[in-house]
Amino acid sequence: MKTPPSEVYNYCINTMPLFQSLETSQFLLIKQEVKEQKLTPGEHLYRAGDIRDTLFLIQRGSIKIYRLSSDGKEHTISILQAGDFIGEQALFHQQTSNNYAVAIEDTTVCLLQQSDFQQIVSQNPHIALELLAVLSNRLENTQEHVMALSGESARDRLLQYLENQAEKQGTNLVKLPSTKKDLASYLGMSQETFSRTLTKLTRDGMVSQPTPDQIELL
């Protein structure tokens, strides 16, 4: 891959792993089709019932994907951060969303329409392979997450999550990408169970919490 020149590096498409194999000329072509959207905490990217035909690429910040049960209870499905993307199914056909996507913090998202992406893929077939690889890895992670929820203890679930985040963030001082309530929902436990588990891990010398939004693996 040729490194994009510094004067075009500010475009969000340059930082997305999905497009890292492109040449500089291809970066310049795609950036013409990409739109940018800024979200404040609590602002929705889309809601259940919306018709979507857009790929959303998270440049900075974080997005929570959640679903509402019939009784109105919120269930966190995933928490996505910079470098992740949402809406890959909509690239192949329009779909009605079953979930909600809301910004957890100040977030910048890049939008790529279905027709534009299909044109890019037709000219660069290897991007389709990159997309399949990412989706395969995401599916595997989802399966592991479901298995963990059904079999592991709250303690093991929290430790596994922290270890995965430490590896992803490259540090044992893990910045929580969401509120503890959202994180508890994602890990399949109540907020009270989450707090008790975190307290016990702290007391056992497994973790420390220097700030409310950070947990350090010891």
Side-chain angles (χ1 to χ4, degrees), residues 134-200:
V134 173
L135 295 181
S136 176
N137 185 61
R138 183 179 292 182
L139 178 60
E140 182 179 352
N141 290 340
T142 299
Q143 291 172 335
E144 291 177 354
H145 181 62
V146 171
M147 292 177 64
L149 292 181
S150 63
E152 294 181 353
S153 66
R155 177 183 182 278
D156 289 342
R157 271 178 268 163
L158 179 53
L159 278 176
Q160 184 63 55
Y161 172 82
L162 292 174
E163 289 171 358
N164 290 341
Q165 285 297 309
E167 181 177 356
K168 184 175 183 179
Q169 297 180 24
T171 174
N172 281 345
L173 187 60
V174 175
K175 184 181 186 302
L176 301 182
S178 181
T179 65
K180 291 179 180 177
K181 178 182 178 182
D182 292 335
L183 187 51
S185 175
Y186 174 68
L187 294 175
M189 63 183 80
S190 67
Q191 191 172 355
E192 292 75 15
T193 299
F194 179 90
S195 296
R196 286 198 301 269
T197 303
L198 182 57
T199 298
K200 189 174 188 307

Side-chain angles (χ1 to χ4, degrees), residues 94-110:
Q94 283 191 346
Q95 63 171 190
T96 302
S97 177
N98 295 317
N99 305 323
Y100 297 78
V102 62
I104 299 172
E105 56 187 321
D106 288 331
T107 300
T108 302
V109 179
C110 303

Side-chain angles (χ1 to χ4, degrees), residues 39 43-48 52 56 58 62-68 74-81 84-89 95 97-104 109 138 145 177-178 182-183 185-187:
L39 301 170
E43 186 175 357
H44 280 80
L45 183 62
Y46 59 80
R47 299 174 183 270
R52 296 194 288 115
F56 302 102
I58 304 174
S62 53
I63 295 282
K64 177 179 70 173
I65 309 298
Y66 70 94
R67 182 173 293 183
L68 295 180
E74 184 179 302
H75 297 276
T76 301
I77 297 173
S78 60
I79 299 169
L80 304 177
Q81 300 169 280
D84 292 328
F85 58 85
I86 323 166
E88 59 279 358
Q89 301 93 337
Q95 63 171 190
S97 177
N98 295 317
N99 305 323
Y100 297 78
V102 62
I104 299 172
V109 179
R138 183 179 292 182
H145 181 62
S178 181
D182 292 335
L183 187 51
S185 175
Y186 174 68
L187 294 175

